[in-house]
Amino acid sequence: MSRFSARTDFARTPNPLALALERHRASGRPLRDLTESNPTRVGLPTPDAALLASDGAFTYEPEPQGLVTARQALVADFAARGARVAAEHLLLTSSTSEAYGWLFKLLCEPGDNVLVPAPCYPLFEHLARLEGVQTRSYPLPRAHGFGLDADAVGDAVDDRTRAVLVVNPGNPTGHFLHEGELAALADVCARRRLPLVCDEVFSPFAWDAGQGRVETVAGRDLPMLTFALGGLSKSAGLPGLKLAWTHVGGPAHLRDEALARLEWLADAVLPVGTPVQRALPGLLAHAPRFQAAVLERVRGNRQRLLAARPVGAPWDVVPAEGGWSAVLRIPRQPGEEATCLALLDAGVAVQPGYFYDFGGGAFLVLSLLPQPEVFAAAVEVLARTLGP
Ligand SMILES: Cc1ncc(COP(=O)(O)O)c(C=O)c1O
């Protein structure tokens, strides 16, 4: 019998692409890395570090849901985006990943499941498994540009399903939840008595002013228990500061019971540091400068990618509305891995669609964050390698 839990029994063998990347790096050959999605490594604006040394940084006043001053700053930030929320319905965590763990503890018994989109960023399966929870996928149909199909969500529900997870906009698919999709989803959730967990970490990054997009589910009159997740790691490009938030909404009796239980859970851990909570008003004031720089970067890089595609090329850029990535549909032959290896050989790193559970074809995923000169040189190689 193993001394260790099955929950932590993850496969640790590196995949062939990771090994090839390691070899490439060790060889010292140049690499144009279109897998880079760390916002602190690509020359984007950062706030004044003095913010973290603000008055009271060394005081300790434990508040399970997070310091009131920090939550009030978030209330103002939501209001600026048109959402009316109350500070008592907000909960701070050190990351959205941590918030997921808390929500799975709150909502699921071991062996229960939560519904997750496919394709999607490969995070939920691991976070769920660490809580003894399983994931069941619902497909995001390509015909909808990987938008949400509420019927597909309903079809994936079984008798152990305890929550529906939605990523708005999708990562890496970049499709925003639209009003009609949210209404249909709310109907499924209400009928099946399922809470909605809506990951909004990329919602400040819409590429244009589209109609009917849902920026946040917070502050809406929805019929089901609703958790809206956001955080500094994407909204301000500061993953190292470790501060995220969850807004709890929905029917008052469910919302208040969820908050009471989460407060208890938070009190047992108290994970968020005082300096970052004290600095939050200043960090939120900095966020628009970061967001504007990201939008300029990703719009420019997407344009460079579209411009690099020769007429009649056997690959396409999948339409999207926001986020930090681009998805390419490529021919099924030679396939995702062989194409990634050929690109690596030519000095460009990209990710295969299977990392993100894409189905129904072959896909590549590119980060749109790299510096323009790196990105432009990489897409030139990409266009040459993919043909015609
Ligand atoms: C959709 C999505 N949600 C959450 C996270 C994790 O963010 P955090 O740093 O708040 O844990 C990521 C990380 O890339 C993400 O892509």
Side-chain angles (χ1 to χ4, degrees):
M1 200 174 73
S2 168
R3 283 168 183 272
F4 302 106
S5 74
R7 281 181 288 162
T8 56
D9 190 15
F10 287 96
R12 290 195 297 266
T13 329
N15 62 48
L17 267 176
L19 290 173
L21 192 55
E22 218 172 275
R23 278 196 303 274
H24 189 102
R25 288 204 163 107
S27 76
R29 285 155 61 209
L31 181 70
R32 296 183 173 109
D33 189 357
L34 300 192
T35 71
E36 182 59 88
S37 59
N38 179 338
T40 68
R41 287 199 202 129
V42 285
L44 291 164
T46 51
D48 184 349
L51 276 176
L52 289 172
S54 61
D55 276 353
F58 297 125
T59 59
Y60 186 48
E61 292 157 24
E63 280 248 21
Q65 283 185 227
L67 291 181
V68 174
T69 48
R71 285 182 287 131
Q72 281 165 345
L74 283 168
V75 169
D77 200 61
F78 271 105
R81 297 192 287 140
R84 273 173 56 129
V85 305
E88 58 269 31
H89 301 155
L90 286 164
L91 170 77
L92 304 189
T93 56
S94 64
S95 66
T96 53
S97 307
E98 180 173 62
Y100 279 114
W102 291 13
L103 294 179
F104 298 153
K105 284 194 234 300
L106 173 74
L107 300 170
C108 302
E109 301 296 347
D112 286 343
N113 67 66
V114 295
L115 302 189
V116 302
C120 186
Y121 184 76
L123 173 74
F124 303 133
E125 189 190 334
H126 305 305
L127 294 176
R129 179 168 158 184
L130 287 168
E131 304 298 336
V133 172
Q134 290 167 8
T135 52
R136 275 170 71 81
S137 294
Y138 62 88
L140 302 175
R142 210 187 105 206
H144 292 204
F146 299 106
L148 187 116
D149 175 358
D151 288 339
V153 176
D155 290 345
V157 176
D158 73 7
D159 58 2
R160 298 217 59 179
T161 302
R162 296 291 174 264
V164 178
L165 273 53
V166 166
V167 183
N168 180 38
N171 177 16
T173 45
H175 179 95
F176 268 86
L177 194 61
H178 286 242
E179 292 291 346
E181 293 167 344
L182 177 59
L185 179 66
D187 197 44
V188 171
C189 288
R191 269 192 290 118
R192 310 302 283 261
R193 297 159 63 108
L194 290 171
L196 171 68
V197 178
C198 193
D199 183 326
E200 302 176 346
V201 298
F202 284 107
S203 84
F205 302 97
W207 298 335
D208 57 35
Q211 294 281 307
R213 284 183 197 146
V214 175
E215 201 181 320
T216 176
V217 296
R220 284 167 179 256
D221 193 14
L222 289 166
M224 67 291 192
L225 186 57
T226 306
F227 303 92
L229 273 52
L232 288 182
S233 75
K234 305 291 187 280
S235 72
L238 298 167
L241 290 194
K242 310 309 293 180
L243 191 147
W245 49 88
T246 300
H247 176 269
V248 187
H253 66 291
L254 291 175
R255 178 198 66 206
D256 294 346
E257 182 64 23
L259 278 162
R261 289 173 184 240
L262 285 169
E263 183 182 351
W264 197 90
L265 209 160
D267 201 17
V269 188
L270 296 167
V272 194
T274 303
V276 69
Q277 293 190 68
R278 293 263 180 215
L280 189 59
L283 296 168
L284 292 173
H286 155 77
R289 195 160 74 91
F290 170 76
Q291 291 166 11
V294 168
L295 285 174
E296 188 187 331
R297 175 75 56 87
V298 300
R299 284 191 196 118
N301 280 344
R302 193 171 169 85
Q303 221 31 60
R304 286 174 194 101
L305 176 62
L306 292 169
R309 182 181 179 273
V311 179
W315 56 277
D316 274 312
V317 183
V318 175
E321 305 168 273
W324 295 3
S325 302
V327 176
L328 264 51
R329 195 189 50 79
I330 58 166
R332 281 177 192 265
Q333 296 301 332
E336 293 175 353
E337 191 151 288
T339 305
C340 289
L341 288 169
L343 283 167
L344 193 54
D345 221 31
V348 172
V350 301
Q351 289 179 314
Y354 75 79
F355 278 12
Y356 296 86
D357 206 8
F358 275 85
F363 297 89
L364 299 180
V365 176
L366 279 54
S367 169
L368 292 171
L369 285 192
Q371 271 141 323
E373 53 286 4
V374 174
F375 194 88
V379 292
E380 207 177 288
V381 174
L382 184 97
R384 233 182 8 249
T385 309
L386 294 180

